[in-house]
Each structure stands twice: as structure tokens, then as C-alpha cells.
Amino acid sequence: QVQLVESGGGLVQAGGSLRLSCAASGRTFSSYAMGWFRQAPGKEREFVGAISWSGGTTRYADSVKGRFTIYRNNAKNTVYLQMNSLKPEDTAGYYCAAEFNSGPILARSAGEYDCWGKGTQVAVSS
């Protein structure tokens, strides 16, 4: 089992930046892809981006492409979401998730992920 803990959220002005971290811990070190999702109050959970185990493959939602970057440091058991040019519409709880036994195609659906963190809040003011 993998435990995930997000951190780095906060309040930022529009146009600013934040870097979220997702620290993974657990007994095993099996390979897994990682995804980032967000959920605003009253809305469904939305795919933000994902990264392969090696870090060699990423994909992003169109809404964040060019502004957000996912990368990981497996030696530190940590995945990062660098968020630049933040907009008020980015305000949400942000969650990281692990997809075990992932294939070459990174999943966009929350239901395909096996383990979730509890989230960190991001608020972007205008």
C-alpha cells in the first residue's frame, strides 16, 4: 500500500505560482504512474495531469497545458505540480493519486487510480 500526502497549497494572486508536492510512502516500491486532480466545491473531480513512473511521459488537461508542469523525483518519493500563471478558475482542492500497473497510456479518469491523497487547497485571487 502507498500513502500519499499533498502539500504546498495556499493563497496566491492571479498570475502567480505555486508548487505542490505529493510525498509517497509505503512498504513496497512498485512502479506506478501518478496523476493530479482538482475539485472545486460543487463540481466533479477534474483531471489536471499525469506522469509515468520514469517521468518520461506526461499529459495534461487542455485547461492547464502550458501553465502547469508535472515532474517527479523517485529517489525522494515525491511528485510535483508546478503551477504558473495561475487563474482564479484554478481555485480548488488538489489531489494526487497513484495508478498501479499502469500501461503506456496515462489515465485521465479518476476511477482508474488506486490510491489517493487527502488533498491540499489552492486559492487564486483576482
Side-chain angles (χ1 to χ4, degrees):
Q1 183 179 343
V2 176
Q3 293 81 45
L4 306 175
V5 180
E6 303 94 337
S7 62
L11 176 64
V12 65
Q13 293 183 354
S17 298
L18 284 173
R19 188 181 73 169
L20 306 184
S21 299
C22 176
S25 62
R27 183 175 298 171
T28 64
F29 292 85
S30 299
S31 62
Y32 48 88
M34 293 291 298
W36 282 96
F37 292 77
R38 65 188 183 185
Q39 188 168 25
K43 293 197 170 186
E44 293 185 346
R45 191 158 295 190
E46 175 189 17
F47 174 78
V48 175
I51 187 168
S52 64
W53 169 253
S54 69
T57 304
T58 55
R59 70 185 302 185
Y60 301 92
D62 289 341
S63 59
V64 307
K65 193 175 299 181
R67 299 189 298 121
F68 291 9
T69 303
I70 297 173
Y71 61 100
R72 67 194 299 169
N73 187 333
N74 288 345
K76 297 182 178 180
N77 297 313
T78 303
V79 177
Y80 304 92
L81 178 66
Q82 178 67 48
M83 305 185 294
N84 299 325
S85 301
L86 282 162
K87 305 174 181 179
E89 65 192 56
D90 296 317
T91 297
Y94 282 73
Y95 302 83
C96 65
E99 182 191 9
F100 304 137
N101 301 312
S102 60
I105 300 176
L106 296 169
R108 287 178 165 265
S109 174
E112 297 190 44
Y113 288 81
D114 303 288
C115 185
W116 292 82
K118 290 180 168 55
T120 185
Q121 295 296 313
V122 172
V124 184
S125 64
S126 59

